[in-house]
Amino acid sequence: MHSLENMRLQFREAYNETKKQARVIVGLGTCGIAAGGNKIWDQVGSYIQTCGLDIDMMSTGCIGMCYAEPLMEIHLPDQPRFIYGNLDPEAAVAVLKRHIEEDKITPEYILAQDPRGFTAAANIDQLHDTPFYRGQSKNVLGRCGIIDPEQIVHYIAFDGYGALEKALSAMTPLQVIQEISRAGLRGRGGGGFPTGRKWEAAHNSPGSKKYVVCNADEGDPGAFMDRSILEGDPHELLEGMAICGYAIGADEGYIYVRAEYPLAIKRLQKAINEAEGMGILGNNILGSGFDFRIQIVAGAGAFVCGEETALMHSIEGQRGMPRVRPPYPAQSGLWGKPTNINNVETYANIPGIIRQGADWFASMGSENSKGSKIFALTGKINRTGLAEVPIGVSLRDIVFTVGGGVQNQKKYKAVQIGGPSGGCIPEEFLDTPVDYDSLLELGAMMGSGGLVVMDEDTCMVDVARYFLHFTQEESCGKCIPCREGTMRMLQILEKICAGQGTPEDLDTLESLCRVVQSTSLCGLGQSAPNPVQATLRYFRSEYEAHIYDKKCPAGVCADLLDITIDAGKCKGCTLCIDVCPTGAISGERKTPHKIDAALCIKCQACIVKCKFGAIAAG
């Protein structure tokens, strides 16, 4: 078998040579580009070229600190690596100039530093000794933000494809599966089914033609874990899929990725082309006799295609609709052949397990939930971004230690975990360990890893309505319980939010939740009631306030609000008059204003505009 070791040593030596040269790195994942990373890249590059500076420029994917994008890192020979954030192009050039010419940092933009500098180390753990990273365990995301995702040589320098080489040269397919089973890896895309058992079922299924499928159809609102892996370290996914192909006896793989992820698709395709060009994918991989090819299929934007049987129908060119199981994909999947389906994060865990061993992986996490998990932190949280933590840490640690707590010193109210099919967890359970079983006991689920933080100004009835509207709209309509049940539940929630709810509506909601959950065909319908059940369970008083008092305690539901002006605070500045779209506010300058309730549409634009806190909704 051909060995990658000489190539790896060569690439690592070349990579580490950059310690002798100044280097600037700009984060160009989707989050960085959206924040203006491309403009920084262009302007800093122009400055370096104009001044004739001996500085190497490199782009990377997301390192997780989305809250501070755009980011720029500066590395000088034999010095720590410094990360600057919240930059604009002019500030980036000024920071670089000060750093290079005066050997001084710019404190107002500095985010973190790493005294280890910048080397192609065999094992990457925590990147920076900062609060955001301190509680993390960078396993899957270890290379993201460190390597150029469009350079296969960078991946190989960081032990990339070493696990595939090890599997092909020193392990049988069954030994690979046994190692995954012993590690305790559970699927990272939904219910947490044991990965080893799924692979074993596909391996044991008869037939000479089998498939490996990656579910990269990341459709949960607020979720971007898979996208960041695809953009920041695409070869990690390819290596995991190839190992799976070897283990189950498949020679062909498909990555079903959202068409809304154009950068991920671009980098994936480049990674596939590079791997094929080096004999790491394709025929006779590394001289082992094993063949494996991967194709990309762009999804059409249907949330239901995240369900594995609907996804396979879509790959086949059919309408993406779930089918009854059994048979399961491991017995009859893509084009009726045995198929293994996992999501991006699950496959991305495989190389580390094979390279470092099952015991290493199993040393992290809780008794029944091993390893680490990536979470997308969004909502009313100070440090939005991507965090990878050991499974079993508490919600409090994730929200307040890694995420920096709730924005604007507001009070924590709940966290929605597991996407639109997850549940809302209140403050009393903040110390719950985040693992598959503990979350199920609370009426939530791990899901793919979306984590939306909500503060005291959030209406939980409106939250349930929002997520149910999403799942109802994304229902394929094939089965009656999901199609009709979610519609009826949504109608009731809209009625309650409009102040027209009755006590009987709560009983009807709970009954519908049970029916839809127990009789829907696929996971979308079965889990759609989760946000409603969780909010009824933990925030029932808010439902009752909407129904009995005709009030929204959080001041969100417009039909239940009264907009008033405090004459004692109003300065008569007329700003509220200027922004009112219906002319509902009247008054002379420097005299208290009034609101005509009949004309007010409760848009709250006046509340936002008032500088004196004179206008309130209640």
Side-chain angles (χ1 to χ4, degrees), residues 29-40 66 68-71 87-89:
T30 291
C31 52
I33 293 171
N38 276 339
K39 295 178 181 177
I40 288 178
C66 304
E69 291 282 6
L71 303 173
L87 296 165
D88 57 40

Side-chain angles (χ1 to χ4, degrees), residues 90-112:
E90 291 73 24
V93 171
V95 164
L96 177 61
K97 185 175 181 180
R98 179 180 173 87
H99 204 111
I100 297 292
E101 295 183 1
E102 302 178 33
D103 197 22
K104 293 181 180 179
I105 64 171
T106 307
E108 59 265 36
Y109 294 109
I110 196 77
L111 295 174

Side-chain angles (χ1 to χ4, degrees), residues 3 108 128 208 293 328 335 381 414 428 480 514:
S3 174
E108 59 265 36
H128 313 284
S208 58
R293 295 187 177 278
Y328 293 96
W335 288 292
I381 192 169
E428 62 191 282
I480 293 174
R514 291 191 293 269

Side-chain angles (χ1 to χ4, degrees), residues 334-468:
L334 202 58
W335 288 292
K337 305 298 182 182
T339 303
N340 182 81
I341 302 180
N342 289 117
N343 82 324
V344 174
E345 187 181 348
T346 307
Y347 285 122
N349 270 287
I350 300 301
I353 294 173
I354 298 301
R355 189 175 63 251
Q356 301 185 69
D359 292 338
W360 162 80
F361 186 84
S363 67
M364 298 176 284
S366 58
E367 183 177 356
N368 296 316
S369 303
K370 303 297 184 182
S372 57
K373 180 73 187 77
I374 304 173
F375 291 96
L377 309 181
T378 59
K380 302 298 181 64
I381 192 169
N382 282 312
R383 301 188 195 118
T384 56
L386 212 61
E388 183 175 2
V389 298
I391 293 181
V393 302
S394 69
L395 268 175
R396 187 183 302 277
D397 284 338
I398 296 175
V399 174
F400 290 93
T401 301
V402 178
V406 183
Q407 290 176 354
N408 303 316
Q409 288 78 50
K410 293 281 188 176
K411 184 174 169 37
Y412 169 96
K413 189 169 194 176
V415 65
Q416 165 83 4
I417 188 167
S421 303
C424 299
I425 301 176
E427 185 177 20
E428 62 191 282
F429 297 112
L430 267 175
D431 293 312
T432 298
V434 179
D435 59 42
Y436 292 93
D437 302 328
S438 298
L439 292 177
L440 285 175
E441 290 177 7
L442 296 180
M445 62 187 293
M446 185 83 79
S448 58
L451 198 151
V452 184
V453 176
M454 306 170 199
D455 66 13
E456 59 193 277
D457 296 331
T458 304
C459 172
M460 301 311 294
V461 184
D462 182 64
V463 165
R465 181 205 59 77
Y466 169 81
F467 282 111
L468 194 65

